[in-house]
Amino acid sequence: DLDQVQLTIMPNPASSQVVIYTNAHIGNVQVKVFDQQGKQVDQFQYTGQRTEINVSSWANGVYQLVFQTANGYGMKRLVVGR
């Protein structure tokens, strides 16, 4: 369960780079990014406790990030604004 590993996205709101991290190693993580209309706009995966992503090409707005691991899934909201 991603709530138990304290999944965090910083900074939020973001303008260019964001760091996604957890307080424990959770293995391979698949992330899908959806805009406010529910359209998938990006996807990526990483392994470990921390990754950085560049959101400078994303339009200003609110995004829902869906995180999927072998042990479950979780969602976080990210605001992009410049």
Side-chain angles (χ1 to χ4, degrees):
D1 189 339
L2 293 180
D3 288 335
Q4 295 175 341
V5 295
Q6 296 177 352
L7 180 72
T8 304
I9 302 174
M10 289 181 60
N12 193 0
S15 60
S16 59
Q17 286 283 120
V18 297
V19 177
I20 299 170
Y21 63 92
T22 60
N23 66 0
H25 188 283
I26 55 174
N28 187 47
V29 182
Q30 296 182 18
V31 184
K32 292 183 179 180
V33 182
F34 298 91
D35 64 15
Q36 289 174 298
Q37 286 75 41
K39 178 184 172 196
Q40 184 175 325
V41 295
D42 201 356
Q43 68 178 11
F44 57 93
Q45 62 182 18
Y46 69 96
T47 301
Q49 287 181 250
R50 182 182 190 280
T51 191
E52 293 184 26
I53 58 169
N54 185 331
V55 298
S56 61
S57 65
W58 298 6
N60 290 349
V62 179
Y63 295 87
Q64 189 81 334
L65 280 68
V66 179
F67 296 83
Q68 179 76 45
T69 71
N71 297 319
Y73 74 97
M75 291 183 278
K76 287 284 185 178
R77 191 175 68 119
L78 173 64
V79 177
V80 174
R82 287 169 205 86

Coordinates of all heavy atoms in Angstrom, one line a residue:
D1 N 0.8 -1.2 0.0 CA 0.0 0.0 0.0 C 0.9 1.2 0.0 O 1.8 1.4 0.8 CB -0.9 0.0 1.2 CG -2.0 1.1 1.2 OD1 -1.8 2.0 0.5 OD2 -2.9 0.9 1.9
L2 N 0.7 2.1 -1.0 CA 1.5 3.3 -1.1 C 1.3 4.3 0.0 O 2.2 5.1 0.3 CB 1.3 4.0 -2.5 CG 1.8 3.1 -3.6 CD1 1.5 3.9 -4.9 CD2 3.2 2.7 -3.5
D3 N 0.2 4.3 0.8 CA 0.0 5.1 1.9 C 1.0 4.8 3.0 O 1.5 5.7 3.7 CB -1.4 5.0 2.5 CG -2.4 5.7 1.6 OD1 -2.1 6.6 0.8 OD2 -3.6 5.3 1.6
Q4 N 1.4 3.6 3.1 CA 2.3 3.2 4.2 C 3.8 3.6 3.9 O 4.6 3.7 4.8 CB 2.3 1.6 4.3 CG 1.0 1.1 4.9 CD 0.9 -0.4 4.9 OE1 1.7 -1.1 4.2 NE2 0.0 -0.9 5.7
V5 N 4.1 3.9 2.7 CA 5.5 4.3 2.3 C 5.6 5.8 2.2 O 6.6 6.3 1.8 CB 6.0 3.6 1.1 CG1 6.2 2.1 1.4 CG2 5.2 3.8 -0.1
Q6 N 4.5 6.5 2.4 CA 4.5 8.0 2.4 C 5.0 8.6 1.1 O 6.0 9.3 1.0 CB 5.3 8.6 3.6 CG 4.7 8.2 4.9 CD 5.5 8.7 6.1 OE1 6.6 9.2 5.9 NE2 4.9 8.6 7.3
L7 N 4.3 8.2 0.0 CA 4.7 8.7 -1.3 C 4.5 10.3 -1.3 O 3.5 10.8 -1.0 CB 3.8 8.1 -2.4 CG 4.0 8.5 -3.8 CD1 5.3 7.9 -4.3 CD2 2.8 8.1 -4.7
T8 N 5.6 11.0 -1.7 CA 5.6 12.4 -1.7 C 6.1 13.0 -3.1 O 7.0 12.4 -3.7 CB 6.6 12.9 -0.6 OG1 6.2 12.4 0.6 CG2 6.5 14.4 -0.5
I9 N 5.4 14.0 -3.5 CA 5.8 14.7 -4.7 C 6.2 16.2 -4.3 O 5.4 16.9 -3.7 CB 4.7 14.8 -5.8 CG1 4.3 13.4 -6.2 CG2 5.1 15.6 -7.0 CD1 3.1 13.3 -7.1
M10 N 7.4 16.6 -4.7 CA 7.8 18.0 -4.3 C 8.6 18.6 -5.5 O 9.4 17.9 -6.1 CB 8.7 17.9 -3.1 CG 8.0 17.6 -1.8 SD 9.0 17.6 -0.4 CE 9.7 19.3 -0.4
P11 N 8.5 19.9 -5.7 CA 7.5 20.8 -5.1 C 6.2 20.6 -5.7 O 6.1 20.0 -6.8 CB 8.1 22.1 -5.5 CG 8.8 21.9 -6.7 CD 9.4 20.6 -6.7
N12 N 5.2 21.0 -5.1 CA 3.8 20.9 -5.5 C 3.0 22.1 -5.0 O 2.7 22.1 -3.8 CB 3.2 19.6 -5.1 CG 1.9 19.3 -5.8 OD1 1.4 20.0 -6.6 ND2 1.3 18.1 -5.4
P13 N 2.8 23.1 -5.8 CA 2.8 23.2 -7.3 C 4.3 23.2 -7.8 O 5.2 23.6 -7.1 CB 2.1 24.4 -7.7 CG 1.9 25.2 -6.4 CD 2.2 24.3 -5.3
A14 N 4.4 22.7 -9.1 CA 5.7 22.6 -9.7 C 5.7 23.4 -11.0 O 4.7 23.7 -11.6 CB 6.0 21.2 -10.0
S15 N 6.9 23.8 -11.5 CA 7.0 24.5 -12.8 C 7.9 23.8 -13.7 O 7.7 23.9 -14.9 CB 7.6 25.9 -12.6 OG 8.8 25.9 -11.9
S16 N 9.0 23.1 -13.3 CA 9.9 22.4 -14.2 C 10.2 21.0 -13.7 O 9.9 20.0 -14.4 CB 11.1 23.2 -14.4 OG 11.8 23.4 -13.2
Q17 N 10.9 20.8 -12.6 CA 11.3 19.5 -12.1 C 10.5 19.1 -10.9 O 10.3 20.0 -10.0 CB 12.8 19.5 -11.8 CG 13.7 19.5 -12.9 CD 13.9 18.2 -13.6 OE1 13.6 18.0 -14.8 NE2 14.3 17.1 -12.9
V18 N 10.2 17.9 -10.7 CA 9.6 17.4 -9.5 C 10.4 16.2 -9.0 O 10.9 15.4 -9.9 CB 8.1 17.1 -9.5 CG1 7.3 18.3 -9.9 CG2 7.8 16.0 -10.5
V19 N 10.4 16.0 -7.7 CA 11.0 14.8 -7.1 C 9.9 13.9 -6.5 O 9.1 14.5 -5.8 CB 12.1 15.1 -6.1 CG1 12.6 13.9 -5.4 CG2 13.2 16.0 -6.7
I20 N 9.9 12.7 -6.9 CA 8.9 11.7 -6.3 C 9.7 10.8 -5.4 O 10.7 10.2 -5.8 CB 8.2 10.9 -7.4 CG1 7.5 11.8 -8.3 CG2 7.3 9.9 -6.8 CD1 6.9 11.1 -9.6
Y21 N 9.3 10.7 -4.1 CA 10.1 9.8 -3.3 C 9.2 9.1 -2.2 O 8.1 9.6 -2.0 CB 11.2 10.5 -2.6 CG 10.9 11.6 -1.7 CD1 10.7 11.4 -0.3 CD2 10.7 12.9 -2.2 CE1 10.3 12.4 0.5 CE2 10.4 14.0 -1.3 CZ 10.2 13.7 0.0 OH 9.8 14.8 0.9
T22 N 9.7 8.0 -1.7 CA 9.0 7.3 -0.6 C 10.0 7.0 0.5 O 11.2 7.2 0.3 CB 8.5 5.9 -1.1 OG1 9.6 5.1 -1.6 CG2 7.5 6.1 -2.2
N23 N 9.5 6.6 1.7 CA 10.4 6.4 2.8 C 10.8 4.9 2.8 O 11.5 4.5 3.8 CB 9.7 6.8 4.1 CG 8.5 5.9 4.4 OD1 8.1 5.0 3.7 ND2 7.9 6.2 5.6
A24 N 10.5 4.1 1.8 CA 11.0 2.8 1.7 C 11.1 2.4 0.3 O 10.4 2.9 -0.6 CB 10.0 1.8 2.4
H25 N 11.9 1.4 0.0 CA 12.1 0.9 -1.4 C 10.8 0.1 -1.7 O 10.4 -0.8 -1.0 CB 13.3 0.0 -1.5 CG 13.7 -0.4 -2.9 ND1 13.0 -1.4 -3.5 CD2 14.6 0.1 -3.7 CE1 13.5 -1.5 -4.8 NE2 14.5 -0.6 -4.9
I26 N 10.2 0.4 -2.9 CA 8.9 -0.2 -3.2 C 9.0 -1.0 -4.5 O 8.0 -1.4 -5.1 CB 7.7 0.7 -3.2 CG1 8.0 1.9 -4.1 CG2 7.4 1.2 -1.8 CD1 6.8 2.8 -4.3
G27 N 10.3 -1.2 -5.0 CA 10.5 -2.0 -6.2 C 10.1 -1.2 -7.5 O 10.3 0.1 -7.5
N28 N 9.7 -1.8 -8.5 CA 9.4 -1.2 -9.8 C 8.0 -0.5 -9.7 O 7.0 -1.0 -9.2 CB 9.3 -2.2 -10.9 CG 9.1 -1.6 -12.3 OD1 9.8 -0.7 -12.6 ND2 8.2 -2.1 -13.1
V29 N 8.0 0.8 -10.1 CA 6.8 1.6 -10.0 C 6.5 2.1 -11.4 O 7.3 2.7 -12.1 CB 7.0 2.8 -9.1 CG1 5.8 3.7 -9.0 CG2 7.5 2.4 -7.7
Q30 N 5.2 1.9 -11.8 CA 4.7 2.4 -13.1 C 3.8 3.6 -12.8 O 3.0 3.5 -11.9 CB 4.0 1.3 -13.9 CG 4.8 0.2 -14.3 CD 4.1 -0.9 -15.1 OE1 3.0 -0.6 -15.6 NE2 4.6 -2.1 -15.2
V31 N 4.0 4.7 -13.5 CA 3.3 5.9 -13.2 C 2.6 6.3 -14.5 O 3.2 6.4 -15.6 CB 4.2 7.0 -12.8 CG1 3.4 8.2 -12.4 CG2 5.0 6.6 -11.6
K32 N 1.3 6.5 -14.4 CA 0.5 7.1 -15.5 C 0.0 8.5 -15.1 O -0.4 8.7 -13.9 CB -0.7 6.2 -15.9 CG -0.2 4.9 -16.5 CD -1.4 4.1 -16.9 CE -0.9 2.8 -17.5 NZ -2.0 1.9 -18.0
V33 N 0.0 9.4 -16.0 CA -0.3 10.8 -15.7 C -1.5 11.2 -16.5 O -1.6 11.0 -17.7 CB 0.8 11.8 -16.0 CG1 0.5 13.2 -15.7 CG2 2.1 11.3 -15.3
F34 N -2.6 11.7 -15.8 CA -3.8 12.1 -16.5 C -4.1 13.6 -16.2 O -3.8 14.1 -15.1 CB -5.0 11.3 -15.9 CG -4.8 9.8 -16.1 CD1 -4.2 9.0 -15.2 CD2 -5.3 9.2 -17.3 CE1 -4.1 7.6 -15.4 CE2 -5.2 7.9 -17.5 CZ -4.6 7.1 -16.6
D35 N -4.6 14.3 -17.3 CA -5.0 15.7 -17.1 C -6.4 15.8 -16.5 O -7.0 14.8 -16.2 CB -4.8 16.4 -18.4 CG -5.8 15.9 -19.5 OD1 -6.8 15.2 -19.2 OD2 -5.6 16.3 -20.7
Q36 N -6.9 17.0 -16.4 CA -8.2 17.3 -15.8 C -9.3 16.7 -16.5 O -10.4 16.4 -16.0 CB -8.4 18.8 -15.6 CG -7.5 19.4 -14.5 CD -7.6 20.9 -14.5 OE1 -7.3 21.6 -15.5 NE2 -8.1 21.4 -13.4
Q37 N -9.1 16.4 -17.8 CA -10.2 15.8 -18.6 C -10.1 14.2 -18.6 O -10.9 13.6 -19.2 CB -10.1 16.3 -20.1 CG -10.6 17.7 -20.3 CD -9.6 18.7 -19.8 OE1 -8.4 18.5 -20.0 NE2 -10.0 19.7 -19.1
G38 N -9.2 13.7 -17.9 CA -9.0 12.3 -17.8 C -8.2 11.6 -18.9 O -8.1 10.4 -19.0
K39 N -7.6 12.5 -19.7 CA -6.8 12.0 -20.8 C -5.3 11.7 -20.3 O -4.7 12.5 -19.6 CB -6.7 13.1 -21.9 CG -5.8 12.7 -23.1 CD -5.7 13.8 -24.1 CE -4.7 13.5 -25.1 NZ -4.3 14.7 -25.9
Q40 N -4.8 10.5 -20.7 CA -3.5 10.1 -20.3 C -2.5 11.0 -21.1 O -2.5 11.0 -22.3 CB -3.2 8.7 -20.5 CG -1.8 8.3 -20.0 CD -1.6 6.8 -20.1 OE1 -2.5 6.0 -19.9 NE2 -0.3 6.4 -20.3
V41 N -1.6 11.7 -20.4 CA -0.7 12.6 -21.1 C 0.8 12.2 -21.0 O 1.6 12.7 -21.7 CB -0.9 14.1 -20.6 CG1 -2.2 14.6 -21.0 CG2 -0.6 14.2 -19.1
D42 N 1.0 11.2 -20.1 CA 2.4 10.8 -20.0 C 2.4 9.5 -19.2 O 1.4 9.2 -18.5 CB 3.3 11.8 -19.2 CG 4.8 11.7 -19.4 OD1 5.2 10.7 -20.1 OD2 5.5 12.5 -18.9
Q43 N 3.5 8.7 -19.3 CA 3.7 7.6 -18.4 C 5.2 7.3 -18.3 O 5.9 7.6 -19.3 CB 2.9 6.4 -19.0 CG 3.5 5.8 -20.3 CD 2.7 4.6 -20.6 OE1 1.6 4.2 -20.1 NE2 3.1 3.8 -21.6
F44 N 5.6 6.7 -17.2 CA 7.0 6.4 -17.0 C 7.1 5.4 -15.9 O 6.1 5.1 -15.2 CB 7.8 7.7 -16.7 CG 7.4 8.4 -15.5 CD1 7.9 8.2 -14.2 CD2 6.4 9.4 -15.6 CE1 7.4 8.9 -13.1 CE2 5.9 10.1 -14.5 CZ 6.5 9.9 -13.3
Q45 N 8.3 4.8 -15.7 CA 8.5 3.9 -14.6 C 9.8 4.1 -14.0 O 10.7 4.7 -14.7 CB 8.3 2.5 -15.1 CG 9.2 1.9 -16.1 CD 8.9 0.5 -16.4 OE1 7.8 0.0 -16.2 NE2 9.8 -0.2 -17.0
Y46 N 10.0 3.7 -12.8 CA 11.2 3.9 -12.1 C 11.3 2.8 -11.0 O 10.3 2.1 -10.7 CB 11.4 5.2 -11.5 CG 10.5 5.6 -10.3 CD1 10.9 5.4 -9.0 CD2 9.2 6.0 -10.5 CE1 10.0 5.7 -7.9 CE2 8.3 6.3 -9.5 CZ 8.8 6.1 -8.2 OH 7.9 6.4 -7.1
T47 N 12.5 2.5 -10.5 CA 12.8 1.6 -9.5 C 13.5 2.3 -8.3 O 14.4 3.0 -8.6 CB 13.6 0.4 -10.0 OG1 12.9 -0.2 -11.1 CG2 13.8 -0.7 -8.9
G48 N 13.1 2.0 -7.1 CA 13.8 2.6 -6.0 C 12.9 3.5 -5.2 O 11.7 3.5 -5.3
Q49 N 13.5 4.3 -4.4 CA 12.8 5.2 -3.5 C 12.6 6.6 -4.0 O 11.9 7.4 -3.5 CB 13.6 5.4 -2.1 CG 13.5 4.1 -1.3 CD 14.3 4.3 0.0 OE1 15.3 3.7 0.2 NE2 13.7 5.2 0.9
R50 N 13.3 7.0 -5.1 CA 13.3 8.4 -5.6 C 13.5 8.4 -7.1 O 14.3 7.7 -7.6 CB 14.5 9.1 -4.8 CG 14.6 10.5 -5.1 CD 15.9 11.0 -4.4 NE 16.0 12.5 -4.4 CZ 16.4 13.2 -5.4 NH1 16.8 12.6 -6.5 NH2 16.5 14.5 -5.3
T51 N 12.8 9.4 -7.7 CA 13.1 9.7 -9.1 C 12.7 11.2 -9.3 O 12.0 11.8 -8.5 CB 12.2 8.8 -10.0 OG1 12.7 9.0 -11.4 CG2 10.7 9.1 -9.9
E52 N 13.3 11.7 -10.4 CA 13.0 13.1 -10.8 C 12.4 13.1 -12.1 O 12.8 12.3 -13.0 CB 14.3 14.0 -10.8 CG 14.9 14.2 -9.4 CD 16.1 15.1 -9.5 OE1 16.2 15.9 -10.4 OE2 17.0 15.0 -8.6
I53 N 11.4 13.9 -12.3 CA 10.8 14.0 -13.6 C 10.7 15.5 -14.0 O 10.6 16.4 -13.2 CB 9.4 13.4 -13.7 CG1 8.4 14.0 -12.7 CG2 9.4 11.9 -13.5 CD1 7.0 13.6 -12.9
N54 N 10.8 15.7 -15.3 CA 10.7 17.1 -15.9 C 9.3 17.3 -16.4 O 8.8 16.6 -17.2 CB 11.7 17.2 -17.1 CG 11.8 18.5 -17.6 OD1 10.8 19.3 -17.6 ND2 12.9 18.9 -18.2
V55 N 8.6 18.3 -15.8 CA 7.2 18.6 -16.2 C 7.2 19.9 -17.0 O 6.1 20.5 -17.2 CB 6.3 18.7 -14.9 CG1 6.3 17.3 -14.2 CG2 6.8 19.8 -14.0
S56 N 8.3 20.4 -17.4 CA 8.3 21.8 -18.1 C 7.5 21.7 -19.4 O 7.1 22.8 -19.8 CB 9.7 22.2 -18.3 OG 10.5 21.3 -19.1
S57 N 7.4 20.6 -20.0 CA 6.6 20.5 -21.3 C 5.1 20.3 -21.0 O 4.3 20.4 -22.0 CB 7.1 19.4 -22.1 OG 6.9 18.1 -21.5
W58 N 4.7 20.1 -19.8 CA 3.3 19.9 -19.5 C 2.6 21.2 -19.4 O 3.2 22.2 -18.9 CB 3.1 19.2 -18.1 CG 3.7 17.8 -18.0 CD1 4.5 17.2 -19.0 CD2 3.6 16.9 -16.9 NE1 4.8 15.9 -18.5 CE2 4.3 15.7 -17.3 CE3 2.9 17.0 -15.7 CZ2 4.4 14.6 -16.4 CZ3 3.0 15.9 -14.8 CH2 3.7 14.7 -15.2
A59 N 1.4 21.3 -19.9 CA 0.6 22.5 -19.8 C 0.3 22.8 -18.3 O 0.2 21.9 -17.5 CB -0.7 22.4 -20.6
N60 N 0.0 24.1 -18.0 CA -0.4 24.5 -16.7 C -1.7 23.8 -16.4 O -2.6 23.6 -17.2 CB -0.6 26.0 -16.6 CG 0.7 26.8 -16.6 OD1 1.8 26.2 -16.5 ND2 0.5 28.1 -16.8
G61 N -1.8 23.3 -15.1 CA -3.1 22.6 -14.8 C -2.9 21.6 -13.6 O -1.8 21.6 -13.0
V62 N -3.9 20.8 -13.4 CA -3.9 19.9 -12.3 C -3.8 18.5 -13.0 O -4.6 18.2 -13.9 CB -5.1 20.0 -11.4 CG1 -5.1 18.9 -10.3 CG2 -5.2 21.4 -10.8
Y63 N -2.9 17.6 -12.5 CA -2.7 16.3 -13.0 C -2.9 15.3 -11.9 O -2.6 15.5 -10.7 CB -1.3 16.2 -13.6 CG -1.1 17.0 -14.8 CD1 -0.7 18.4 -14.6 CD2 -1.3 16.6 -16.1 CE1 -0.5 19.2 -15.7 CE2 -1.2 17.4 -17.2 CZ -0.7 18.7 -17.0 OH -0.6 19.5 -18.1
Q64 N -3.4 14.1 -12.3 CA -3.5 13.0 -11.4 C -2.5 12.0 -11.8 O -2.4 11.5 -12.9 CB -4.9 12.4 -11.5 CG -5.3 11.4 -10.5 CD -5.7 12.0 -9.2 OE1 -5.3 13.1 -8.8 NE2 -6.4 11.2 -8.4
L65 N -1.6 11.6 -10.9 CA -0.6 10.6 -11.1 C -1.0 9.3 -10.4 O -1.3 9.3 -9.2 CB 0.8 11.1 -10.5 CG 1.6 12.1 -11.4 CD1 0.9 13.4 -11.5 CD2 3.0 12.2 -10.9
V66 N -1.1 8.2 -11.2 CA -1.5 6.9 -10.7 C -0.2 6.1 -10.6 O 0.4 5.8 -11.7 CB -2.6 6.3 -11.6 CG1 -3.0 4.9 -11.1 CG2 -3.8 7.2 -11.7
F67 N 0.1 5.6 -9.4 CA 1.3 4.8 -9.2 C 0.8 3.4 -9.0 O 0.0 3.1 -8.2 CB 2.0 5.3 -7.9 CG 2.5 6.7 -8.0 CD1 1.6 7.8 -7.8 CD2 3.8 6.9 -8.3 CE1 2.1 9.1 -7.9 CE2 4.3 8.2 -8.4 CZ 3.4 9.3 -8.2
Q68 N 1.5 2.5 -9.8 CA 1.2 1.0 -9.7 C 2.4 0.3 -9.3 O 3.5 0.4 -10.0 CB 0.6 0.6 -11.0 CG 0.3 -0.9 -11.1 CD -1.0 -1.2 -10.4 OE1 -2.0 -0.5 -10.5 NE2 -1.0 -2.3 -9.6
T69 N 2.3 -0.6 -8.3 CA 3.4 -1.4 -7.9 C 2.9 -2.9 -7.8 O 1.7 -3.1 -8.0 CB 4.0 -1.1 -6.5 OG1 3.1 -1.4 -5.5 CG2 4.4 0.4 -6.5
A70 N 3.8 -3.8 -7.6 CA 3.4 -5.2 -7.4 C 2.4 -5.4 -6.2 O 1.7 -6.3 -6.2 CB 4.6 -6.1 -7.3
N71 N 2.5 -4.4 -5.3 CA 1.8 -4.6 -4.0 C 0.5 -3.7 -4.0 O -0.1 -3.6 -2.9 CB 2.6 -4.3 -2.8 CG 3.8 -5.3 -2.7 OD1 3.6 -6.4 -2.9 ND2 5.0 -4.8 -2.4
G72 N 0.2 -2.9 -5.0 CA -1.0 -2.1 -5.0 C -0.8 -0.8 -5.8 O 0.2 -0.7 -6.6
Y73 N -1.7 0.1 -5.6 CA -1.6 1.4 -6.3 C -2.0 2.5 -5.4 O -2.6 2.3 -4.4 CB -2.4 1.3 -7.6 CG -3.9 1.4 -7.3 CD1 -4.6 2.6 -7.5 CD2 -4.7 0.3 -7.0 CE1 -5.9 2.7 -7.2 CE2 -6.0 0.4 -6.7 CZ -6.6 1.6 -6.9 OH -8.0 1.7 -6.6
G74 N -1.7 3.7 -5.9 CA -2.1 4.9 -5.2 C -2.2 6.1 -6.2 O -1.7 5.9 -7.3
M75 N -2.8 7.2 -5.8 CA -2.9 8.3 -6.6 C -2.5 9.6 -5.9 O -2.7 9.7 -4.7 CB -4.4 8.5 -7.1 CG -4.8 7.4 -8.0 SD -6.5 7.6 -8.6 CE -7.4 7.0 -7.2
K76 N -1.9 10.5 -6.6 CA -1.5 11.8 -6.1 C -1.8 12.9 -7.1 O -1.7 12.6 -8.3 CB 0.0 11.8 -5.8 CG 0.5 11.0 -4.6 CD 0.2 11.7 -3.3 CE 0.7 10.9 -2.1 NZ 0.5 11.6 -0.9
R77 N -2.1 14.0 -6.6 CA -2.4 15.2 -7.4 C -1.2 16.1 -7.5 O -0.5 16.3 -6.5 CB -3.6 16.0 -6.8 CG -4.2 17.0 -7.7 CD -5.4 17.6 -7.0 NE -5.0 18.4 -5.9 CZ -5.2 19.7 -5.7 NH1 -5.9 20.3 -6.6 NH2 -4.7 20.3 -4.7
L78 N -0.9 16.6 -8.7 CA 0.2 17.5 -9.0 C -0.3 18.7 -9.7 O -1.0 18.6 -10.7 CB 1.3 16.8 -9.8 CG 2.5 17.7 -10.2 CD1 3.2 18.2 -9.0 CD2 3.4 16.9 -11.2
V79 N 0.0 19.9 -9.2 CA -0.3 21.1 -9.9 C 0.9 21.6 -10.6 O 2.0 21.7 -10.0 CB -0.8 22.2 -8.9 CG1 -1.1 23.5 -9.6 CG2 -2.0 21.7 -8.1
V80 N 0.7 21.9 -11.9 CA 1.8 22.5 -12.7 C 1.4 23.9 -13.1 O 0.3 24.2 -13.6 CB 2.1 21.7 -14.0 CG1 3.1 22.4 -14.9 CG2 2.6 20.3 -13.6
G81 N 2.3 24.9 -12.8 CA 2.0 26.3 -13.1 C 3.2 27.1 -13.2 O 4.2 26.8 -12.5
R82 N 3.2 28.1 -14.1 CA 4.4 28.9 -14.3 C 4.0 30.4 -14.2 O 3.0 30.8 -14.3 CB 5.0 28.7 -15.7 CG 5.7 27.3 -15.7 CD 6.1 26.9 -17.1 NE 6.1 25.5 -17.1 CZ 5.1 24.7 -17.3 NH1 3.9 25.2 -17.6 NH2 5.3 23.4 -17.3

